[in-house]
Amino acid sequence: MNKLFPPDFVWGSATSAYQIEGGWNADGKGPSIWDVFCMIPGKIHNNDTGNLACDHYHRLEEDVALMKSLGVKAYRFSISWPRVLPAGRGAVNQSGIDFYNRLIDSLLAAGIEPWVTLYHWDLPAALEFEIDGWLGEEIPDVFAAYADVCFRHFGDRVKNWITINEAWVVAILGYGHGVFAPGKVSKDLPYRAGHQLVKAHAQAVDVYRKKYQAVQGGKIGITNNCDWREPLTDSAADRAAAERALEFFLGWFADPVYKGDYPDCMKERLGDRLPAFTPEEKALIQGSSDFFGLNHYTTMYASDASQSAGAGSVYGNGGLSEDQDVDLSVSPDWAMTDMQWAIVPWGCRKLLEWIAARYDNPPVYITENGCAFDGKLEDTERIAFFDGYLSAVHEAIGNGVDVQGYFIWSLLDNFEWASGYSKKFGITHIEEGTLKRVPKASAWWYAEVVRRNGLG
Ligand code: GAL
């Protein structure tokens, strides 16, 4: 049966600067916290780095041509903040501006709409040293000033802006578990970093709305990530646990934007460990997104841990589990990707329905969805994954959820953060040594989905 998507549905592919660009110190670029983090022995699988990555910095024309050949309509990429502002603030690096101008112009010439993320984790290292990165008091102002530089230089052609990619990951993996840059381990810092991330987002949006939006006519929002949490049993306690897990995951960042403050359950459980917004900040934050950006990868069962000895038995995708009293688990029946993330398409549908119900049916763009499998070109598992998840998205739309676009993660096999190059999410293989791009079967399959505006 044909599953057609709404007319004008945005079909895209996504990447991020540090994961593909390389050119880590080329033409005046400053170091980012990821450049530095990768230098610490043992932090990254195989001690891999993004120094060269896919060398997209020198191959952008080839990558745009690749997308054109696939017919994708939109491309989500991120701007490397230290490529544009090597010290994070102050002097602009003209070579960096030139690079993104060339990328944007090539995309537009190829009929591909640029979707630009301002922050996909590569904070200028100078800001980590000088103002304590995302913990610093000044960081929202500094981020808004950087955003201003981007709107000023690129906003005549870029009409879709995403402020921050996955504040949850920045906060939890960067400041809680310490497995991502800047590598801090703490039970409290994630909530402080998260607070500054929300304020930084809102201030950047305020700059766009006051100075640029009327003239440039684009839209701006934030992208959050969330897995689905399915109650392990039908008990009231497990249902409440699953809800709590979602509120600590997505509600943490989406509630301030859509409701003006953190979820009650976070405020109650965390007390003083959760910073509070002032009334002025709440007013600035509420309504600060023109769309709901969502990255979604997997599903876990959630059960109540308040009575169990080792509360929060899964340390990983759960955030700070002990704050939530939630145990997470997976079904032995669920197939897994190479990340050991379960493949559960119906979780995607349920999450979309949860978002529509909680936030009054905002326009949703799935800004990332994808899977890691071994690097083979006949990637039938990836095709099955996308087919399953897109069917779930189609079903959600049928049930009234306003999904307006979908971006596959990722266009290219690339630097998968702490996993280095060992985890391959791309629909395109990168040949070792030559870095030649070779589309996998899933790339041609996706091209056909885009052409038909749906699944066959
Ligand atoms: C997201 C992230 C991407 C990519 C993906 C797969 O959290 O935004 O950069 O790494 O996960 O793990």
Side-chain angles (χ1 to χ4, degrees):
M1 194 189 66
N2 282 345
K3 294 172 191 159
L4 289 183
F5 282 67
D8 301 326
F9 193 78
V10 177
W11 294 104
S13 67
T15 63
S16 87
Y18 190 69
Q19 296 179 274
I20 66 161
E21 283 182 4
W24 77 285
N25 60 359
D27 306 329
K29 176 181 169 290
S32 78
I33 55 171
W34 271 93
D35 290 315
V36 178
F37 194 65
C38 290
M39 290 177 187
I40 304 172
K43 292 292 183 195
I44 311 294
H45 174 88
N46 197 36
N47 291 322
D48 289 342
T49 74
N51 291 1
L52 178 61
C54 308
D55 200 25
H56 170 76
Y57 184 68
H58 296 108
R59 296 168 192 245
L60 79 86
E61 282 83 5
E62 189 182 338
D63 291 335
V64 173
L66 167 67
M67 281 185 268
K68 189 178 179 186
S69 73
L70 299 177
V72 297
K73 304 221 180 329
Y75 175 48
R76 173 176 178 239
F77 64 94
S78 76
I79 291 179
S80 160
W81 183 349
R83 197 182 288 294
V84 167
L85 295 171
R89 50 190 169 169
V92 170
N93 176 34
Q94 189 56 43
S95 311
I97 301 286
D98 294 345
F99 168 71
Y100 292 110
N101 273 335
R102 274 203 292 136
L103 175 56
I104 292 162
D105 290 343
S106 314
L107 287 168
L108 292 174
I112 301 167
E113 200 181 32
W115 281 63
V116 178
T117 308
L118 292 169
Y119 187 70
H120 203 125
W121 310 350
D122 45 356
L123 186 80
L127 299 179
E128 187 65 30
F129 288 116
E130 292 167 9
I131 61 168
D132 213 4
W134 287 107
L135 301 174
E137 265 318 299
E138 293 162 75
I139 191 76
D141 290 344
V142 175
F143 178 71
Y146 154 63
D148 196 334
V149 170
C150 295
F151 303 144
R152 184 162 71 244
H153 284 94
F154 310 125
D156 56 335
R157 289 151 296 151
V158 172
K159 303 301 168 196
N160 306 282
W161 294 99
I162 293 164
T163 52
I164 283 162
N165 179 68
E166 302 187 349
W168 184 95
V169 169
V170 177
I172 293 291
L173 302 189
Y175 291 85
H177 300 172
V179 294
F180 281 13
K184 301 201 192 267
V185 178
S186 162
K187 293 194 183 312
D188 298 317
L189 295 183
Y191 300 113
R192 285 180 43 203
H195 198 67
Q196 298 304 73
L197 285 155
V198 173
K199 289 198 284 180
H201 150 77
Q203 285 188 212
V205 171
D206 191 50
V207 168
Y208 187 64
R209 290 195 174 153
K210 286 203 174 114
K211 287 177 67 175
Y212 299 98
Q213 197 164 35
V215 186
Q216 298 183 342
K219 53 183 189 284
I220 188 163
I222 187 169
T223 273
N224 289 307
N225 60 307
C226 195
D227 302 343
W228 176 246
R229 298 295 183 235
E230 181 72 8
L232 179 64
T233 74
D234 204 29
S235 73
D238 284 355
R239 280 189 276 121
E243 191 68 12
R244 241 179 5 254
L246 291 165
E247 290 178 1
F248 267 81
F249 204 148
L250 187 54
W252 181 4
F253 298 103
D255 273 27
V257 169
Y258 287 90
K259 295 169 180 288
D261 204 356
Y262 293 123
D264 285 341
C265 89
M266 290 187 76
K267 291 197 279 189
E268 283 155 17
R269 284 172 173 262
L270 297 170
D272 289 349
R273 294 169 57 213
L274 184 68
F277 296 116
T278 65
E280 295 75 34
E281 287 167 351
K282 284 184 186 169
L284 199 69
I285 295 163
Q286 186 159 15
S288 62
S289 218
D290 297 328
F291 55 86
F292 198 107
L294 176 71
N295 293 351
H296 175 74
Y297 286 91
T298 191
T299 284
M300 293 184 96
Y301 281 122
S303 58
D304 181 43
S306 56
Q307 308 303 322
S308 73
S313 62
V314 172
Y315 188 77
N317 273 357
L320 301 187
S321 308
E322 62 278 21
D323 289 340
Q324 308 166 37
D325 282 327
V326 172
D327 279 329
L328 297 175
S329 57
V330 292
S331 161
D333 299 337
W334 293 342
M336 295 283 167
T337 69
D338 275 7
M339 297 296 278
Q340 297 309 307
W341 294 346
I343 305 173
V344 189
W346 54 258
C348 181
R349 174 181 55 77
K350 289 194 174 190
L351 177 61
L352 288 168
E353 290 171 358
W354 188 85
I355 290 168
R358 188 175 180 90
Y359 302 115
D360 201 16
N361 208 13
V364 176
Y365 290 90
I366 297 179
T367 43
E368 285 180 30
N369 174 237
C371 50
F373 286 113
D374 63 16
K376 64 178 188 297
L377 292 178
E378 281 306 316
D379 55 344
T380 43
E381 301 100 326
R382 181 170 287 102
I383 293 175
F385 177 98
F386 282 133
D387 191 63
Y389 275 81
L390 278 170
S391 297
V393 174
H394 185 264
E395 219 181 309
I397 294 172
N399 294 344
V401 183
D402 187 14
V403 186
Q404 301 197 356
Y406 177 92
F407 294 73
I408 48 133
W409 185 271
S410 174
L411 176 67
L412 309 171
D413 282 345
N414 59 42
F415 176 81
E416 177 51 31
W417 308 111
S419 306
Y421 297 96
S422 68
K423 298 288 184 282
K424 300 181 187 309
F425 278 87
I427 57 172
T428 308
H429 166 74
I430 307 278
E431 241 173 50
E432 218 177 311
T434 65
L435 301 186
K436 187 172 163 228
R437 279 63 170 143
V438 186
K440 303 178 189 178
S442 58
W444 301 117
W445 177 87
Y446 188 57
E448 194 53 22
V449 170
V450 176
R451 198 187 61 74
R452 288 192 194 157
N453 195 35
L455 303 166

